[in-house]
């Protein structure tokens, strides 16, 4: 009896002579006090209205047959003023309800003195998921076609009904549930359940990233110190860069310490978006799932992640956001390099240097480990083991050699050599120095002496430099002689003929030569072993194998394998110093703007990654039984579609510029599925590893779930994500931008990301049968939707929200992850989410047209989104005013009484 009561709903139908708002007071019991506060949409005045609401009993205060429930009715004529007056109340016990015929009670509402009757309350017991085909008359009013949807509200901790619902994952908590009953076009009833949850990744992902940032920067500082002795000029630059890194490390350590003090919280409310200690935390990150149950149809569910736009609110937007700041920074960096007497490296060179460092840090331990496996197989005299280990060693070594096959490494080594103390070129030795001026000659038009790096992409062409160019180890190290004998700052990477340029080629080639020696030795050992077995009579073969010394193979292989490891280490040391020197130049000519921009980028990326990881896990758990989805996941990857409602005016344009870079940076992220050690929640939390240029998020699955994964996923294949961003501003600031400002940023973002989405679909259709994609009732296929989206993207139309609707529809048809954002994911986001949910009910589940607007207003007034508003600002009002809403598209306007001036 008790268990039944806890999972059931009590529905109350109230009837009296005026239009009043129904609410319940605290239910009372002789043993417990149970607090519930069901709410209902305001109704129009009517002579004989009906009101429906619902309530559950919290799990921490379970109901018993003896529990007394008190219902109190208030007159709420002006809901916008939150004023009400007492009308009447009634009391009943849970036992009375369970014993009543059809589990229904009809009770009279009485005034405070117990004399006057104010109306009637009908209380029903309704099982969760129950689909009664009830006659519609009992919830119709005297106004034609006006019907009241059933709204059932549950306490956040009482929402544990997860039968037949795909798991949302182990990183979600504090669910808030709402249940509705809406009429379909064929006069049937659908049950709609909203569930909103917080995500623990809001804090855990940023904390892991902060630790990785600190670790990476500390490693960078150590690499700079290990560069060895440098000339005074370069040494001073190194000290300044190390000081800057120290400042970032200290700041990140303080932020991490502050976050470690926070316990129990799993989301950052919008009112804290500019708080420094929380700047790495995403704003108001929540998941929302809508489950739809229709008669004689399979349940369907639709997921969405809502999060405030990833942006550096604490740093502000006075000078714009990341996209604008980075563009301006790259333009100004050339002048910085001149001022700091540094070598200018293009963004492509800097990215290549980071890639080389990252690849070496991963491949070198791999090679060492595989070399040990090869020796172990030789020790065991195992021919199959030897072949397998050799194949893996060859693959990784070839990958290692290919990574370092770049002129940037050689040129950086030359530049580093020139930065050593006492460096003097051959020409400087041969040519006397007079008056502190370096003398030499320029041979114009000579191509054979051109720096090899000048042909690389992103390099700025410079004056051709010959052997007579003088380069020394101080300020003049970055200067060249002009035609008239004057000095000119050199933007390019220096080319020094006096340095043995073939040294790096020899060191690098030695790795390949050593690998060939290992391969040859293994072939020789196996050939000798095969020839011995052929020569020995069959009856003596067992004795030969028994008497054979298993250590022979290892002894012969050990010298060549050791030499391979030594060559790899030598290459790693040289290349590491060279790439560190490249990054030293980058950092030196970035002071201080570059470091501030890196911090801003770290902050924005942290917020974006937390949201992405949240959406990925929710989508993964939802699709575990879908073989087509899993095939798509490992063969192509998933599209992550971010919908933004930011305007392109004032501060929000800076937020959008931040968000654009943050979403784009998610391309550097891959996911891997691993098997959890245990099924405890602590062992099912995702783990982030990597560096700024490449992060991997490892997602542990319970053992049983992991075993159902495809072999490719179980073997650790990286799973890609394709992030796309579409933005359409809808508020009054966007009106100003469209009429008097500039919306080119929005147009460029939408066009660029449409091309990414189009590329993803093309790749998907080539590798995965389209039958693997989900089926929808609407007839338009993905190709048609893409064509329509492309047309809308290039169409000059104000507040063209169809771009967002079509992009969202494409995402769902492609098994993608849906995100919706605005400044704080609270007000505009709520309008978008509820609109999308009702559109899905209309298009996919035949929601009656008469019910569409009523369902939309109901969700906005009583659904999960108004609960989200209250969680953020402790007030059940959207932060809109009447003038603002006049600029909104009509379908994004909330119902009256649900908005007002509040601090958001």
């Amino acid at each position: 009896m008790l268990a039944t009561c806890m999972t059931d709903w009590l529905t109350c139908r109230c009837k009296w002579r005026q239009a009043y708002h129904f609410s319940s007071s605290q239910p009372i019991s002789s043993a417990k006090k149970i607090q519930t506060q069901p709410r209902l949409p305001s109704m129009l005045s009517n002579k004989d209205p009906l009101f429906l609401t619902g309530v559950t009993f919290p799990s921490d205060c379970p109901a018993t047959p003896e529990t007394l429930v008190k219902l109190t009715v208030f007159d709420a004529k002006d809901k916008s003023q939150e004023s009400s007056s007492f009308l009447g109340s009634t009391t009943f016990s849970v036992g009375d309800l369970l014993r009543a015929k059809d589990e229904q009670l009809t009770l009279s509402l009485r005034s405070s003195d117990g004399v006057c009757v104010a109306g009637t309350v009908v209380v029903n017991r309704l099982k969760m998921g129950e689909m009664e085909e009830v006659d519609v008359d009992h919830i119709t009013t005297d106004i034609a076609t006006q019907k009241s949807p059933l709204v059932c509200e549950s306490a956040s901790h009482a929402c544990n009904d997860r039968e037949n619902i795909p798991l949302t994952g182990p990183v979600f908590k504090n669910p808030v549930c709402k249940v509705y009953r809406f009429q379909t076009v064929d006069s049937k009833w659908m049950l709609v359940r909203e569930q909103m949850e917080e995500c623990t990744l809001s804090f855990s992902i940023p904390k892991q990233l902060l630790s990785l940032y600190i670790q990476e920067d500390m490693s960078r500082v150590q690499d700079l110190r290990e560069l060895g002795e440098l000339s005074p000029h370069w040494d001073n630059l190194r000290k300044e860069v190390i000081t800057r890194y120290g400042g970032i490390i200290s700041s990140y350590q303080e932020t991490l310490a502050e976050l470690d003090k926070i316990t129990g919280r799993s989301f950052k409310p919008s009112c804290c978006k500019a708080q420094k200690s929380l700047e790495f935390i995403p704003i108001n990150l929540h998941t929302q799932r809508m489950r739809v149950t229709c008669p004689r149809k399979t349940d369907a569910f639709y997921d969405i992640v809502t999060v405030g736009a990833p942006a550096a609110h604490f740093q502000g937007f006075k000078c714009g956001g990341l996209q604008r700041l980075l563009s301006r920074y790259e333009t100004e960096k050339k002048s910085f390099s001149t001022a700091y007497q540094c070598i200018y490296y293009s963004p492509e060179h800097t990215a290549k240097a980071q890639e080389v460092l990252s690849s070496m840090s991963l491949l070198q331990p791999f090679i060492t480990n595989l070399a040990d496996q090869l020796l172990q197989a030789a020790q065991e005299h195992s021919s199959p083991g030897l072949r397998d280990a050799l194949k893996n060693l060859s693959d990784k070594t070839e990958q290692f050699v290919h990574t370092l096959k770049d002129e940037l490494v050689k040129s950086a080594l030359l530049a580093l050599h020139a930065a050593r103390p006492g460096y003097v070129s051959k020409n400087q030795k041969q040519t006397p120095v007079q008056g502190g001026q370096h003398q030499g000659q320029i041979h114009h038009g000579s191509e054979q002496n051109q720096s090899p790096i000048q042909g690389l992409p992103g390099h700025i062409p410079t004056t051709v430099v010959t052997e007579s160019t003088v380069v020394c180890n101080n300020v003049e190290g970055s200067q060249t002689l002009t035609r008239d004998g004057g000095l000119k700052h050199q933007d390019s990477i220096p080319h020094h003929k006096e340095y043995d340029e073939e040294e790096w080629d020899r060191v690098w080639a030695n790795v390949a030569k050593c690998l060939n020696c290992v391969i040859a030795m293994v072939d020789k050992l196996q050939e000798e072993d095969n020839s011995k077995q052929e020569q020995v009579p069959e009856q003596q073969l067992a004795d030969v194998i028994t008497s054979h010394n298993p250590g022979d193979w290892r002894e012969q292989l050990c010298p060549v394998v050791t030499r391979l490891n030594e060559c790899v280490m030598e290459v790693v040391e040289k290349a590491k110093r060279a790439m560190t020197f490249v990054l030293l130049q980058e950092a030196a000519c970035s002071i201080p703007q570059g470091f501030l921009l890196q911090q801003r980028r770290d902050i924005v990326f942290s917020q974006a990654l937390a949201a992405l990881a949240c959406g990925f896990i929710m989508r993964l758990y939802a699709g575990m039984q879908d073989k087509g989805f899993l095939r798509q996941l490992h063969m192509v990857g998933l599209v992550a579609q971010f919908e933004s409602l930011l305007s392109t005016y004032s501060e929000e344009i800076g937020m959008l510029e931040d968000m654009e870079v943050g979403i784009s940076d998610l391309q550097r992220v891959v996911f891997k599925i691993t098997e959890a050690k245990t099924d405890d929640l602590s062992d099912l939390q995702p783990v982030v590893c990597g560096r700024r240029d490449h992060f991997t998020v490892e997602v542990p699955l319970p053992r049983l779930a992991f075993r159902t994964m495809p072999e490719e996923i179980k073997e650790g294949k990286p799973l890609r994500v394709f992030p796309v961003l579409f933005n359409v501003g809808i508020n009054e600031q966007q009106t100003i931008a469209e009429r008097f400002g500039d919306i080119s940023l929005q147009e460029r973002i939408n066009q660029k990301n449409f091309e990414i989405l189009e590329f993803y679909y093309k790749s998907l259709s080539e590798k995965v049968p389209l039958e693997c994609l989900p089926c929808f009732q609407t007839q338009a296929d993905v190709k048609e939707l893409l064509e329509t989206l492309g047309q809308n993207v290039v169409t000059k139309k104000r507040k063209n929200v169809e771009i967002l609707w079509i992009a969202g529809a494409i995402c769902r048809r492609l098994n993608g992850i849906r995100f919706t954002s605005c400044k704080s994911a609270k007000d505009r986001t709520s309008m978008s989410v509820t609109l999308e949910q009702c559109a899905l009910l209309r298009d996919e589940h035949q929601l009656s047209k008469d019910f569409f607007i009523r369902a939309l207003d109901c969700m906005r007034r009583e659904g999960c989104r108004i609960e989200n508003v209250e969680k953020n600002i402790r007030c059940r009002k959207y932060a809109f005013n009447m003038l603002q809403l006049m600029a909104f598209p009509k379908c994004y306007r909330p119902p009256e009484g649900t908005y007002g001036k509040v601090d958001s």
Side-chain angles (χ1 to χ4, degrees), residues 28-33 64 66-68:
I28 58 174
S29 169
S30 57
K32 301 181 180 71
K33 290 184 179 180
T64 67
E66 292 75 27
T67 300
L68 294 180

Side-chain angles (χ1 to χ4, degrees), residues 39-53:
R39 298 180 179 86
L40 183 75
S42 298
M43 300 295 184
L44 296 173
S45 295
N46 191 280
K47 294 179 180 179
D48 196 18
L50 291 171
F51 299 81
L52 289 167
T53 190

Side-chain angles (χ1 to χ4, degrees), residues 213 244 248 252 280 312 315-316 319-333 336 586-587 589-606 654 657-658 661-662 665 668 692:
Y213 291 152
R244 292 284 179 175
I248 292 179
Y252 286 4
F280 285 84
Q315 294 188 14
C319 298
L322 273 172
Q323 188 272 335
R324 195 187 325 172
L325 293 171
L326 286 170
S327 177
R328 185 186 306 154
Y329 163 71
E330 285 300 332
T331 302
E332 295 175 350
K333 194 164 66 170
F336 293 157
E586 162 74 13
C589 66
S590 300
I591 297 172
Q593 290 88 342
F595 285 90
L596 294 174
L597 280 177
Q598 185 62 66
Q599 284 182 280
R600 190 181 190 103
R601 200 166 188 171
D602 289 346
I603 291 166
V604 174
F605 178 77
S606 172
E657 289 170 341
D658 273 357
V661 175
D665 283 348
R668 301 177 292 167
R692 283 184 177 92

Side-chain angles (χ1 to χ4, degrees), residues 706-835:
F706 182 78
R707 290 169 187 170
T708 64
M709 294 291 108
E711 287 300 320
E712 293 86 349
I713 292 180
K714 289 194 286 188
E715 291 171 1
K717 181 177 181 179
L719 310 175
R720 292 189 62 191
V721 173
F722 295 80
V724 292
L725 168 66
F726 291 92
N727 184 86
V728 176
I730 62 171
N731 64 3
E732 77 287 354
Q733 290 187 327
Q734 186 65 20
T735 302
I736 298 173
E738 289 175 338
R739 294 187 179 181
F740 310 109
D742 180 14
I743 61 170
S744 59
L745 173 63
Q746 174 176 289
E747 293 173 339
R748 182 181 56 77
I749 288 174
N750 292 341
Q751 180 61 44
K752 174 184 175 183
N753 286 274
F754 167 72
E755 293 169 2
I756 296 173
L757 188 60
E758 197 174 35
F759 168 80
Y760 172 82
Y761 175 70
K762 182 180 179 182
S763 177
L764 180 68
S765 56
E766 290 174 352
K767 298 180 181 179
V768 178
L770 296 183
E771 291 76 17
C772 294
L773 300 178
C775 296
F776 284 81
Q777 295 294 323
T778 47
Q779 297 300 316
D781 62 13
V782 178
K783 190 174 182 180
E784 293 174 0
L785 288 171
L786 275 169
E787 291 176 358
T788 306
L789 179 61
Q791 294 168 3
N792 276 274
V793 163
V794 299
T795 300
K796 302 290 184 181
K797 180 181 177 182
R798 292 177 180 174
K799 296 183 181 176
N800 188 5
V801 290
E802 288 187 34
I803 291 174
L804 304 180
W805 300 346
I806 299 169
I810 292 172
C811 175
R812 293 197 184 278
R813 281 164 171 74
L814 294 179
N815 274 325
I817 313 170
R818 278 279 294 114
F819 300 83
T820 297
S821 297
C822 61
K823 184 177 181 178
S824 59
K826 179 173 59 66
D827 304 305
R828 281 168 284 178
T829 294
S830 295
M831 300 302 103
S832 175
V833 170
T834 50
L835 177 62

Side-chain angles (χ1 to χ4, degrees), residues 206-446:
K207 287 166 69 174
Q208 292 184 65
L209 278 177
L210 278 166
S211 297
L212 292 172
Y213 291 152
I214 293 169
Q215 180 182 337
E216 180 180 347
D217 289 345
M218 292 178 71
S219 175
R220 185 66 51 77
V221 168
Q222 185 62 29
D223 290 343
L224 288 171
R225 288 174 175 153
E226 291 176 355
L227 271 179
E229 194 174 0
L230 298 175
S231 66
H233 170 67
W234 293 114
D235 193 48
N236 289 334
L237 288 178
R238 173 169 59 179
K239 289 176 181 177
E240 189 170 359
V241 169
I242 289 176
T243 300
R244 292 284 179 175
Y245 274 123
I248 292 179
I249 292 169
S250 177
S251 174
Y252 286 4
Q253 287 173 335
E254 290 176 9
T255 301
L256 186 57
E258 289 296 319
L259 293 178
D260 285 336
K261 295 177 184 177
I262 300 173
T263 57
R265 291 175 62 177
S266 53
F267 89 105
K268 180 173 84 172
S270 62
C271 56
C272 299
K273 57 178 165 280
Q275 189 173 327
K276 178 169 174 37
S277 61
L278 298 177
E279 60 184 346
F280 285 84
I281 310 301
I283 302 166
N284 192 20
L285 175 61
H286 283 79
T287 62
Q288 187 153 327
R289 167 167 290 173
M290 181 177 72
R291 177 195 178 191
V292 185
T293 304
C294 291
R296 295 179 294 276
K297 288 185 180 180
T298 305
D299 285 11
F301 61 92
Y302 305 92
D303 294 337
I304 193 166
V305 179
T306 60
V307 63
H313 289 273
F314 175 77
Q315 294 188 14
F317 309 96
K318 185 177 180 180
C319 298
L322 273 172
Q323 188 272 335
R324 195 187 325 172
L325 293 171
L326 286 170
S327 177
R328 185 186 306 154
Y329 163 71
E330 285 300 332
T331 302
E332 295 175 350
K333 194 164 66 170
K334 299 170 189 176
S335 61
F336 293 157
S337 64
T338 301
Y340 279 86
Q341 304 297 332
C342 301
I343 302 167
Y344 171 75
Y345 287 94
S346 69
E348 290 83 359
H349 288 138
T350 303
K352 182 63 181 179
Q354 292 172 337
E355 179 188 336
V356 169
L357 285 172
S358 180
S359 298
M360 286 193 303
S361 65
L362 293 173
L363 292 173
Q364 189 270 325
F366 259 124
I367 293 173
T368 302
N369 184 49
L370 291 171
D372 292 340
Q373 291 180 24
L374 184 70
L375 292 177
Q376 182 63 31
Q379 177 74 28
E380 297 170 356
H381 208 266
S382 169
S383 292
L386 205 63
R387 286 194 299 270
D388 292 342
L390 180 62
K391 182 181 184 305
N392 293 332
L393 179 63
S394 299
D395 292 343
K396 291 298 178 183
T397 306
E398 289 173 7
Q399 185 180 347
F400 175 81
V401 171
H402 181 74
T403 299
L404 298 173
K405 188 179 181 180
D406 197 290
E407 286 290 342
L408 179 63
V409 181
K410 179 192 288 189
S411 299
L413 280 170
L414 301 179
L416 176 60
H417 179 75
R420 298 297 186 192
Y423 167 77
V424 180
S425 67
K426 291 180 179 179
N427 296 74
Q428 193 171 1
K429 293 177 182 178
Q430 298 168 359
T431 309
V433 179
Q434 298 178 357
Q437 298 266 341
H438 300 294
Q439 302 296 326
Q441 297 179 346
I442 301 291
H443 298 283
H444 304 290
S446 175

